[in-house]
Amino acid sequence: MTSEVAIAASISSDMRQAAKQAASGAGELAGMDLRNQWESRAADQAQRILQSREQEMSALSQAAVATARLAEQATRSLLALQQAGKL
């Protein structure tokens, strides 16, 4: 009977150890999942910021092109006025 009690105690101890390892593994897995969620959210936020910056740069580029066109037209107008003797 003593050996049966020892066997049952050993099995119980092994089961407790296995439960601890399972809990630890579950905690690690939950931590990994949470880290993946944070990384995913950070990537999504970075993508939104990048798209916003691209739109801003596109608008600035279009404004620069329009400014260059206006400057070219102003230069032509000034040259025409100068040639006509009005300046």
Side-chain angles (χ1 to χ4, degrees), residues 25-57:
E28 289 176 15
L29 184 58
M32 288 171 41
D33 185 50
L34 186 57
R35 185 172 52 246
N36 287 341
Q37 288 177 10
W38 288 340
E39 290 172 353
S40 178
R41 287 181 189 143
D44 290 344
Q45 180 66 18
Q47 183 67 28
R48 284 191 294 274
I49 290 170
L50 177 61
Q51 288 173 343
S52 174
R53 297 300 183 262
E54 286 176 340
Q55 289 172 351
E56 290 172 2
M57 294 304 288

PDB file of all heavy atoms in Angstrom, residues 25-57:
ATOM      1  N   GLY A  25       3.368  28.038 -20.496  1.00  0.00           N
ATOM      2  CA  GLY A  25       3.318  28.080 -21.962  1.00  0.00           C
ATOM      3  C   GLY A  25       2.157  28.915 -22.456  1.00  0.00           C
ATOM      4  O   GLY A  25       2.286  29.678 -23.425  1.00  0.00           O
ATOM      5  N   ALA A  26       1.020  28.796 -21.793  1.00  0.00           N
ATOM      6  CA  ALA A  26      -0.149  29.594 -22.181  1.00  0.00           C
ATOM      7  C   ALA A  26       0.127  31.074 -21.964  1.00  0.00           C
ATOM      8  O   ALA A  26      -0.247  31.914 -22.792  1.00  0.00           O
ATOM      9  CB  ALA A  26      -1.376  29.161 -21.388  1.00  0.00           C
ATOM     10  N   GLY A  27       0.795  31.399 -20.855  1.00  0.00           N
ATOM     11  CA  GLY A  27       1.154  32.796 -20.589  1.00  0.00           C
ATOM     12  C   GLY A  27       2.106  33.337 -21.638  1.00  0.00           C
ATOM     13  O   GLY A  27       1.950  34.464 -22.114  1.00  0.00           O
ATOM     14  N   GLU A  28       3.094  32.522 -22.016  1.00  0.00           N
ATOM     15  CA  GLU A  28       4.035  32.944 -23.057  1.00  0.00           C
ATOM     16  C   GLU A  28       3.320  33.142 -24.390  1.00  0.00           C
ATOM     17  O   GLU A  28       3.582  34.098 -25.118  1.00  0.00           O
ATOM     18  CB  GLU A  28       5.158  31.917 -23.194  1.00  0.00           C
ATOM     19  CG  GLU A  28       6.126  31.914 -22.027  1.00  0.00           C
ATOM     20  CD  GLU A  28       7.172  30.823 -22.155  1.00  0.00           C
ATOM     21  OE1 GLU A  28       7.329  30.255 -23.262  1.00  0.00           O
ATOM     22  OE2 GLU A  28       7.829  30.544 -21.147  1.00  0.00           O
ATOM     23  N   LEU A  29       2.416  32.222 -24.706  1.00  0.00           N
ATOM     24  CA  LEU A  29       1.662  32.323 -25.962  1.00  0.00           C
ATOM     25  C   LEU A  29       0.785  33.571 -25.964  1.00  0.00           C
ATOM     26  O   LEU A  29       0.720  34.287 -26.972  1.00  0.00           O
ATOM     27  CB  LEU A  29       0.805  31.071 -26.158  1.00  0.00           C
ATOM     28  CG  LEU A  29       0.037  30.972 -27.468  1.00  0.00           C
ATOM     29  CD1 LEU A  29       0.992  31.033 -28.654  1.00  0.00           C
ATOM     30  CD2 LEU A  29      -0.768  29.690 -27.509  1.00  0.00           C
ATOM     31  N   ALA A  30       0.149  33.852 -24.832  1.00  0.00           N
ATOM     32  CA  ALA A  30      -0.676  35.061 -24.738  1.00  0.00           C
ATOM     33  C   ALA A  30       0.190  36.303 -24.889  1.00  0.00           C
ATOM     34  O   ALA A  30      -0.199  37.266 -25.549  1.00  0.00           O
ATOM     35  CB  ALA A  30      -1.415  35.087 -23.400  1.00  0.00           C
ATOM     36  N   GLY A  31       1.378  36.275 -24.293  1.00  0.00           N
ATOM     37  CA  GLY A  31       2.303  37.406 -24.437  1.00  0.00           C
ATOM     38  C   GLY A  31       2.736  37.593 -25.877  1.00  0.00           C
ATOM     39  O   GLY A  31       2.821  38.721 -26.372  1.00  0.00           O
ATOM     40  N   MET A  32       3.002  36.485 -26.561  1.00  0.00           N
ATOM     41  CA  MET A  32       3.404  36.575 -27.970  1.00  0.00           C
ATOM     42  C   MET A  32       2.259  37.131 -28.807  1.00  0.00           C
ATOM     43  O   MET A  32       2.473  37.956 -29.691  1.00  0.00           O
ATOM     44  CB  MET A  32       3.823  35.195 -28.490  1.00  0.00           C
ATOM     45  CG  MET A  32       5.152  34.727 -27.938  1.00  0.00           C
ATOM     46  SD  MET A  32       5.576  33.006 -28.315  1.00  0.00           S
ATOM     47  CE  MET A  32       5.092  32.790 -29.989  1.00  0.00           C
ATOM     48  N   ASP A  33       1.036  36.680 -28.523  1.00  0.00           N
ATOM     49  CA  ASP A  33      -0.124  37.163 -29.260  1.00  0.00           C
ATOM     50  C   ASP A  33      -0.313  38.660 -29.035  1.00  0.00           C
ATOM     51  O   ASP A  33      -0.567  39.412 -29.973  1.00  0.00           O
ATOM     52  CB  ASP A  33      -1.373  36.393 -28.832  1.00  0.00           C
ATOM     53  CG  ASP A  33      -2.583  36.773 -29.659  1.00  0.00           C
ATOM     54  OD1 ASP A  33      -2.489  36.765 -30.906  1.00  0.00           O
ATOM     55  OD2 ASP A  33      -3.626  37.094 -29.061  1.00  0.00           O
ATOM     56  N   LEU A  34      -0.176  39.080 -27.777  1.00  0.00           N
ATOM     57  CA  LEU A  34      -0.307  40.497 -27.459  1.00  0.00           C
ATOM     58  C   LEU A  34       0.776  41.317 -28.160  1.00  0.00           C
ATOM     59  O   LEU A  34       0.504  42.374 -28.735  1.00  0.00           O
ATOM     60  CB  LEU A  34      -0.223  40.700 -25.942  1.00  0.00           C
ATOM     61  CG  LEU A  34      -0.479  42.101 -25.421  1.00  0.00           C
ATOM     62  CD1 LEU A  34      -1.854  42.595 -25.854  1.00  0.00           C
ATOM     63  CD2 LEU A  34      -0.367  42.113 -23.908  1.00  0.00           C
ATOM     64  N   ARG A  35       2.011  40.818 -28.164  1.00  0.00           N
ATOM     65  CA  ARG A  35       3.106  41.506 -28.844  1.00  0.00           C
ATOM     66  C   ARG A  35       2.836  41.600 -30.347  1.00  0.00           C
ATOM     67  O   ARG A  35       3.052  42.641 -30.970  1.00  0.00           O
ATOM     68  CB  ARG A  35       4.435  40.795 -28.574  1.00  0.00           C
ATOM     69  CG  ARG A  35       5.634  41.527 -29.142  1.00  0.00           C
ATOM     70  CD  ARG A  35       6.973  40.944 -28.736  1.00  0.00           C
ATOM     71  NE  ARG A  35       7.078  39.525 -28.978  1.00  0.00           N
ATOM     72  CZ  ARG A  35       7.200  38.593 -28.025  1.00  0.00           C
ATOM     73  NH1 ARG A  35       7.208  38.930 -26.763  1.00  0.00           N
ATOM     74  NH2 ARG A  35       7.300  37.315 -28.330  1.00  0.00           N
ATOM     75  N   ASN A  36       2.299  40.513 -30.918  1.00  0.00           N
ATOM     76  CA  ASN A  36       1.955  40.534 -32.350  1.00  0.00           C
ATOM     77  C   ASN A  36       0.873  41.561 -32.638  1.00  0.00           C
ATOM     78  O   ASN A  36       0.915  42.251 -33.658  1.00  0.00           O
ATOM     79  CB  ASN A  36       1.506  39.146 -32.814  1.00  0.00           C
ATOM     80  CG  ASN A  36       2.649  38.168 -32.930  1.00  0.00           C
ATOM     81  OD1 ASN A  36       3.809  38.555 -33.006  1.00  0.00           O
ATOM     82  ND2 ASN A  36       2.337  36.886 -32.918  1.00  0.00           N
ATOM     83  N   GLN A  37      -0.113  41.663 -31.729  1.00  0.00           N
ATOM     84  CA  GLN A  37      -1.166  42.659 -31.904  1.00  0.00           C
ATOM     85  C   GLN A  37      -0.584  44.064 -31.846  1.00  0.00           C
ATOM     86  O   GLN A  37      -0.949  44.926 -32.652  1.00  0.00           O
ATOM     87  CB  GLN A  37      -2.242  42.496 -30.831  1.00  0.00           C
ATOM     88  CG  GLN A  37      -3.109  41.273 -31.008  1.00  0.00           C
ATOM     89  CD  GLN A  37      -4.116  41.126 -29.880  1.00  0.00           C
ATOM     90  OE1 GLN A  37      -4.296  42.022 -29.071  1.00  0.00           O
ATOM     91  NE2 GLN A  37      -4.769  39.978 -29.825  1.00  0.00           N
ATOM     92  N   TRP A  38       0.313  44.320 -30.894  1.00  0.00           N
ATOM     93  CA  TRP A  38       0.929  45.646 -30.776  1.00  0.00           C
ATOM     94  C   TRP A  38       1.732  45.976 -32.030  1.00  0.00           C
ATOM     95  O   TRP A  38       1.664  47.080 -32.551  1.00  0.00           O
ATOM     96  CB  TRP A  38       1.846  45.709 -29.564  1.00  0.00           C
ATOM     97  CG  TRP A  38       1.150  45.728 -28.248  1.00  0.00           C
ATOM     98  CD1 TRP A  38      -0.143  46.070 -27.994  1.00  0.00           C
ATOM     99  CD2 TRP A  38       1.721  45.392 -26.975  1.00  0.00           C
ATOM    100  NE1 TRP A  38      -0.421  45.962 -26.660  1.00  0.00           N
ATOM    101  CE2 TRP A  38       0.704  45.553 -26.004  1.00  0.00           C
ATOM    102  CE3 TRP A  38       2.975  44.963 -26.571  1.00  0.00           C
ATOM    103  CZ2 TRP A  38       0.929  45.301 -24.658  1.00  0.00           C
ATOM    104  CZ3 TRP A  38       3.189  44.711 -25.222  1.00  0.00           C
ATOM    105  CH2 TRP A  38       2.170  44.894 -24.276  1.00  0.00           C
ATOM    106  N   GLU A  39       2.507  44.987 -32.494  1.00  0.00           N
ATOM    107  CA  GLU A  39       3.310  45.209 -33.701  1.00  0.00           C
ATOM    108  C   GLU A  39       2.419  45.472 -34.899  1.00  0.00           C
ATOM    109  O   GLU A  39       2.722  46.340 -35.724  1.00  0.00           O
ATOM    110  CB  GLU A  39       4.227  44.012 -33.946  1.00  0.00           C
ATOM    111  CG  GLU A  39       5.354  43.892 -32.939  1.00  0.00           C
ATOM    112  CD  GLU A  39       6.137  42.601 -33.062  1.00  0.00           C
ATOM    113  OE1 GLU A  39       5.737  41.712 -33.859  1.00  0.00           O
ATOM    114  OE2 GLU A  39       7.151  42.465 -32.355  1.00  0.00           O
ATOM    115  N   SER A  40       1.316  44.739 -34.995  1.00  0.00           N
ATOM    116  CA  SER A  40       0.384  44.931 -36.097  1.00  0.00           C
ATOM    117  C   SER A  40      -0.233  46.324 -36.039  1.00  0.00           C
ATOM    118  O   SER A  40      -0.337  47.013 -37.056  1.00  0.00           O
ATOM    119  CB  SER A  40      -0.697  43.860 -36.058  1.00  0.00           C
ATOM    120  OG  SER A  40      -1.628  44.067 -37.092  1.00  0.00           O
ATOM    121  N   ARG A  41      -0.641  46.745 -34.845  1.00  0.00           N
ATOM    122  CA  ARG A  41      -1.215  48.084 -34.694  1.00  0.00           C
ATOM    123  C   ARG A  41      -0.186  49.153 -35.022  1.00  0.00           C
ATOM    124  O   ARG A  41      -0.512  50.162 -35.649  1.00  0.00           O
ATOM    125  CB  ARG A  41      -1.746  48.275 -33.278  1.00  0.00           C
ATOM    126  CG  ARG A  41      -3.011  47.510 -33.012  1.00  0.00           C
ATOM    127  CD  ARG A  41      -3.529  47.737 -31.617  1.00  0.00           C
ATOM    128  NE  ARG A  41      -4.613  46.833 -31.325  1.00  0.00           N
ATOM    129  CZ  ARG A  41      -4.814  46.271 -30.155  1.00  0.00           C
ATOM    130  NH1 ARG A  41      -4.018  46.535 -29.143  1.00  0.00           N
ATOM    131  NH2 ARG A  41      -5.828  45.445 -29.967  1.00  0.00           N
ATOM    132  N   ALA A  42       1.050  48.936 -34.565  1.00  0.00           N
ATOM    133  CA  ALA A  42       2.111  49.907 -34.863  1.00  0.00           C
ATOM    134  C   ALA A  42       2.362  49.977 -36.366  1.00  0.00           C
ATOM    135  O   ALA A  42       2.546  51.064 -36.928  1.00  0.00           O
ATOM    136  CB  ALA A  42       3.395  49.534 -34.117  1.00  0.00           C
ATOM    137  N   ALA A  43       2.344  48.838 -37.027  1.00  0.00           N
ATOM    138  CA  ALA A  43       2.541  48.813 -38.480  1.00  0.00           C
ATOM    139  C   ALA A  43       1.392  49.523 -39.191  1.00  0.00           C
ATOM    140  O   ALA A  43       1.610  50.274 -40.145  1.00  0.00           O
ATOM    141  CB  ALA A  43       2.668  47.371 -38.981  1.00  0.00           C
ATOM    142  N   ASP A  44       0.171  49.289 -38.720  1.00  0.00           N
ATOM    143  CA  ASP A  44      -0.988  49.965 -39.316  1.00  0.00           C
ATOM    144  C   ASP A  44      -0.880  51.473 -39.141  1.00  0.00           C
ATOM    145  O   ASP A  44      -1.143  52.247 -40.073  1.00  0.00           O
ATOM    146  CB  ASP A  44      -2.291  49.476 -38.688  1.00  0.00           C
ATOM    147  CG  ASP A  44      -2.637  48.046 -39.069  1.00  0.00           C
ATOM    148  OD1 ASP A  44      -2.052  47.528 -40.042  1.00  0.00           O
ATOM    149  OD2 ASP A  44      -3.502  47.452 -38.390  1.00  0.00           O
ATOM    150  N   GLN A  45      -0.493  51.906 -37.950  1.00  0.00           N
ATOM    151  CA  GLN A  45      -0.345  53.340 -37.676  1.00  0.00           C
ATOM    152  C   GLN A  45       0.759  53.933 -38.545  1.00  0.00           C
ATOM    153  O   GLN A  45       0.594  55.027 -39.104  1.00  0.00           O
ATOM    154  CB  GLN A  45      -0.037  53.572 -36.190  1.00  0.00           C
ATOM    155  CG  GLN A  45       0.136  55.022 -35.811  1.00  0.00           C
ATOM    156  CD  GLN A  45      -1.142  55.839 -35.955  1.00  0.00           C
ATOM    157  OE1 GLN A  45      -2.232  55.310 -36.018  1.00  0.00           O
ATOM    158  NE2 GLN A  45      -1.002  57.131 -36.003  1.00  0.00           N
ATOM    159  N   ALA A  46       1.869  53.225 -38.651  1.00  0.00           N
ATOM    160  CA  ALA A  46       2.968  53.707 -39.494  1.00  0.00           C
ATOM    161  C   ALA A  46       2.525  53.822 -40.954  1.00  0.00           C
ATOM    162  O   ALA A  46       2.878  54.783 -41.642  1.00  0.00           O
ATOM    163  CB  ALA A  46       4.176  52.775 -39.370  1.00  0.00           C
ATOM    164  N   GLN A  47       1.732  52.862 -41.410  1.00  0.00           N
ATOM    165  CA  GLN A  47       1.230  52.900 -42.789  1.00  0.00           C
ATOM    166  C   GLN A  47       0.325  54.102 -42.999  1.00  0.00           C
ATOM    167  O   GLN A  47       0.414  54.788 -44.024  1.00  0.00           O
ATOM    168  CB  GLN A  47       0.475  51.595 -43.112  1.00  0.00           C
ATOM    169  CG  GLN A  47      -0.012  51.514 -44.533  1.00  0.00           C
ATOM    170  CD  GLN A  47       1.110  51.429 -45.538  1.00  0.00           C
ATOM    171  OE1 GLN A  47       2.186  50.935 -45.255  1.00  0.00           O
ATOM    172  NE2 GLN A  47       0.871  51.929 -46.729  1.00  0.00           N
ATOM    173  N   ARG A  48      -0.550  54.377 -42.027  1.00  0.00           N
ATOM    174  CA  ARG A  48      -1.437  55.551 -42.151  1.00  0.00           C
ATOM    175  C   ARG A  48      -0.623  56.843 -42.179  1.00  0.00           C
ATOM    176  O   ARG A  48      -0.902  57.748 -42.972  1.00  0.00           O
ATOM    177  CB  ARG A  48      -2.445  55.569 -41.008  1.00  0.00           C
ATOM    178  CG  ARG A  48      -3.570  54.571 -41.182  1.00  0.00           C
ATOM    179  CD  ARG A  48      -4.687  54.788 -40.171  1.00  0.00           C
ATOM    180  NE  ARG A  48      -4.286  54.541 -38.802  1.00  0.00           N
ATOM    181  CZ  ARG A  48      -4.298  53.360 -38.206  1.00  0.00           C
ATOM    182  NH1 ARG A  48      -4.718  52.305 -38.870  1.00  0.00           N
ATOM    183  NH2 ARG A  48      -3.932  53.231 -36.944  1.00  0.00           N
ATOM    184  N   ILE A  49       0.386  56.925 -41.325  1.00  0.00           N
ATOM    185  CA  ILE A  49       1.231  58.122 -41.302  1.00  0.00           C
ATOM    186  C   ILE A  49       1.967  58.269 -42.622  1.00  0.00           C
ATOM    187  O   ILE A  49       2.038  59.374 -43.175  1.00  0.00           O
ATOM    188  CB  ILE A  49       2.228  58.059 -40.117  1.00  0.00           C
ATOM    189  CG1 ILE A  49       1.462  58.218 -38.798  1.00  0.00           C
ATOM    190  CG2 ILE A  49       3.312  59.117 -40.244  1.00  0.00           C
ATOM    191  CD1 ILE A  49       2.296  57.942 -37.557  1.00  0.00           C
ATOM    192  N   LEU A  50       2.489  57.172 -43.149  1.00  0.00           N
ATOM    193  CA  LEU A  50       3.196  57.211 -44.429  1.00  0.00           C
ATOM    194  C   LEU A  50       2.276  57.678 -45.546  1.00  0.00           C
ATOM    195  O   LEU A  50       2.653  58.530 -46.359  1.00  0.00           O
ATOM    196  CB  LEU A  50       3.764  55.831 -44.749  1.00  0.00           C
ATOM    197  CG  LEU A  50       4.476  55.687 -46.089  1.00  0.00           C
ATOM    198  CD1 LEU A  50       5.673  56.628 -46.169  1.00  0.00           C
ATOM    199  CD2 LEU A  50       4.904  54.251 -46.314  1.00  0.00           C
ATOM    200  N   GLN A  51       1.058  57.168 -45.583  1.00  0.00           N
ATOM    201  CA  GLN A  51       0.111  57.587 -46.617  1.00  0.00           C
ATOM    202  C   GLN A  51      -0.225  59.069 -46.486  1.00  0.00           C
ATOM    203  O   GLN A  51      -0.322  59.781 -47.488  1.00  0.00           O
ATOM    204  CB  GLN A  51      -1.160  56.738 -46.537  1.00  0.00           C
ATOM    205  CG  GLN A  51      -0.961  55.327 -47.007  1.00  0.00           C
ATOM    206  CD  GLN A  51      -2.171  54.434 -46.760  1.00  0.00           C
ATOM    207  OE1 GLN A  51      -3.050  54.773 -45.971  1.00  0.00           O
ATOM    208  NE2 GLN A  51      -2.200  53.293 -47.415  1.00  0.00           N
ATOM    209  N   SER A  52      -0.372  59.525 -45.256  1.00  0.00           N
ATOM    210  CA  SER A  52      -0.653  60.945 -45.026  1.00  0.00           C
ATOM    211  C   SER A  52       0.506  61.805 -45.519  1.00  0.00           C
ATOM    212  O   SER A  52       0.305  62.826 -46.178  1.00  0.00           O
ATOM    213  CB  SER A  52      -0.907  61.191 -43.538  1.00  0.00           C
ATOM    214  OG  SER A  52      -1.052  62.559 -43.279  1.00  0.00           O
ATOM    215  N   ARG A  53       1.725  61.384 -45.191  1.00  0.00           N
ATOM    216  CA  ARG A  53       2.907  62.143 -45.625  1.00  0.00           C
ATOM    217  C   ARG A  53       3.047  62.130 -47.148  1.00  0.00           C
ATOM    218  O   ARG A  53       3.433  63.124 -47.751  1.00  0.00           O
ATOM    219  CB  ARG A  53       4.188  61.578 -44.990  1.00  0.00           C
ATOM    220  CG  ARG A  53       4.265  61.668 -43.489  1.00  0.00           C
ATOM    221  CD  ARG A  53       4.190  63.107 -43.001  1.00  0.00           C
ATOM    222  NE  ARG A  53       4.340  63.211 -41.574  1.00  0.00           N
ATOM    223  CZ  ARG A  53       3.350  63.314 -40.702  1.00  0.00           C
ATOM    224  NH1 ARG A  53       2.110  63.328 -41.128  1.00  0.00           N
ATOM    225  NH2 ARG A  53       3.580  63.403 -39.415  1.00  0.00           N
ATOM    226  N   GLU A  54       2.719  61.003 -47.769  1.00  0.00           N
ATOM    227  CA  GLU A  54       2.767  60.927 -49.227  1.00  0.00           C
ATOM    228  C   GLU A  54       1.770  61.898 -49.851  1.00  0.00           C
ATOM    229  O   GLU A  54       2.083  62.559 -50.850  1.00  0.00           O
ATOM    230  CB  GLU A  54       2.479  59.494 -49.699  1.00  0.00           C
ATOM    231  CG  GLU A  54       3.620  58.536 -49.462  1.00  0.00           C
ATOM    232  CD  GLU A  54       3.276  57.106 -49.843  1.00  0.00           C
ATOM    233  OE1 GLU A  54       2.077  56.763 -49.937  1.00  0.00           O
ATOM    234  OE2 GLU A  54       4.212  56.317 -50.020  1.00  0.00           O
ATOM    235  N   GLN A  55       0.580  61.985 -49.266  1.00  0.00           N
ATOM    236  CA  GLN A  55      -0.425  62.924 -49.779  1.00  0.00           C
ATOM    237  C   GLN A  55       0.053  64.360 -49.608  1.00  0.00           C
ATOM    238  O   GLN A  55      -0.122  65.188 -50.507  1.00  0.00           O
ATOM    239  CB  GLN A  55      -1.761  62.711 -49.054  1.00  0.00           C
ATOM    240  CG  GLN A  55      -2.442  61.416 -49.431  1.00  0.00           C
ATOM    241  CD  GLN A  55      -3.667  61.127 -48.578  1.00  0.00           C
ATOM    242  OE1 GLN A  55      -3.927  61.805 -47.587  1.00  0.00           O
ATOM    243  NE2 GLN A  55      -4.417  60.100 -48.949  1.00  0.00           N
ATOM    244  N   GLU A  56       0.664  64.651 -48.458  1.00  0.00           N
ATOM    245  CA  GLU A  56       1.185  66.003 -48.226  1.00  0.00           C
ATOM    246  C   GLU A  56       2.293  66.333 -49.232  1.00  0.00           C
ATOM    247  O   GLU A  56       2.323  67.437 -49.784  1.00  0.00           O
ATOM    248  CB  GLU A  56       1.731  66.118 -46.801  1.00  0.00           C
ATOM    249  CG  GLU A  56       0.667  66.104 -45.728  1.00  0.00           C
ATOM    250  CD  GLU A  56       1.246  66.025 -44.317  1.00  0.00           C
ATOM    251  OE1 GLU A  56       2.481  66.028 -44.159  1.00  0.00           O
ATOM    252  OE2 GLU A  56       0.452  65.952 -43.371  1.00  0.00           O
ATOM    253  N   MET A  57       3.192  65.382 -49.461  1.00  0.00           N
ATOM    254  CA  MET A  57       4.285  65.616 -50.401  1.00  0.00           C
ATOM    255  C   MET A  57       3.758  65.781 -51.824  1.00  0.00           C
ATOM    256  O   MET A  57       4.260  66.606 -52.583  1.00  0.00           O
ATOM    257  CB  MET A  57       5.293  64.458 -50.337  1.00  0.00           C
ATOM    258  CG  MET A  57       6.023  64.368 -49.007  1.00  0.00           C
ATOM    259  SD  MET A  57       6.883  65.887 -48.558  1.00  0.00           S
ATOM    260  CE  MET A  57       8.215  65.863 -49.712  1.00  0.00           C
TER     261      MET A  57
END
